[in-house]
C-alpha cells in the first residue's frame, strides 16, 4: 500500500498526494492493501512542473486502484522530469 497523504475535500471527494503527484477521486475503500476507487472513471491525476499543469483522466483507462493510477501518471511525470534534468 502506498503511503498517500489523504485529504477529504469540501465537496466530499478526496485528494491523494504522494510526492509531486496528486489524485482527485470521489471515494475509496481499502482492500487487500490497496485503495480501491469507488468511481474509477471520475478519478483525475495531475502534477505541476514549472507552472505548467499536466493531468490524466482515468475515464478511458479505468485503473481500479489509486496505486495503479499513480503508477501510470508517475511514468508521465518521469518523462517530463527526465527531459528537464538532461536539458
Amino acid at each position: 500500500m502506498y503511503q498517500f497523504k489523504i485529504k477529504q475535500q469540501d465537496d466530499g471527494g478526496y485528494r491523494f498526494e504522494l510526492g509531486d503527484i496528486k489524485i482527485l477521486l470521489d471515494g475509496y475503500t481499502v482492500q487487500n492493501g490497496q485503495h480501491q476507487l469507488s468511481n474509477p472513471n471520475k478519478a483525475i491525476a495531475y502534477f505541476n512542473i514549472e507552472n505548467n499543469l499536466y493531468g490524466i483522466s482515468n475515464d478511458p483507462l479505468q485503473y481500479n486502484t489509486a496505486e495503479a493510477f499513480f503508477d501510470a501518471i508517475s511514468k508521465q511525470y518521469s518523462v517530463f522530469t527526465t527531459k528537464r534534468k538532461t536539458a
Side-chain angles (χ1 to χ4, degrees), residues 29-41:
T29 58
V30 177
Q31 296 175 4
N32 300 321
Q34 295 201 345
H35 299 90
Q36 298 289 325
L37 305 179
S38 299
N39 275 322
N41 61 332

Side-chain angles (χ1 to χ4, degrees), residues 2-69:
Y2 291 179
Q3 298 301 310
F4 293 109
K5 180 192 250 183
I6 302 171
K7 297 180 181 179
Q8 187 163 11
Q9 304 295 100
D10 291 338
D11 65 2
Y14 295 88
R15 183 174 66 214
F16 282 38
E17 298 179 3
L18 187 57
D20 293 332
I21 297 172
K22 296 165 183 61
I23 301 173
L24 299 175
L25 50 101
D26 281 355
Y28 71 97
T29 58
V30 177
Q31 296 175 4
N32 300 321
Q34 295 201 345
H35 299 90
Q36 298 289 325
L37 305 179
S38 299
N39 275 322
N41 61 332
K42 292 189 176 185
I44 298 171
Y46 65 96
F47 56 86
N48 184 326
I49 297 177
E50 296 179 359
N51 293 321
N52 293 304
L53 187 64
Y54 300 91
I56 183 172
S57 169
N58 194 31
D59 186 28
L61 304 173
Q62 295 291 321
Y63 295 106
N64 291 319
T65 66
E67 286 79 4
F69 195 28

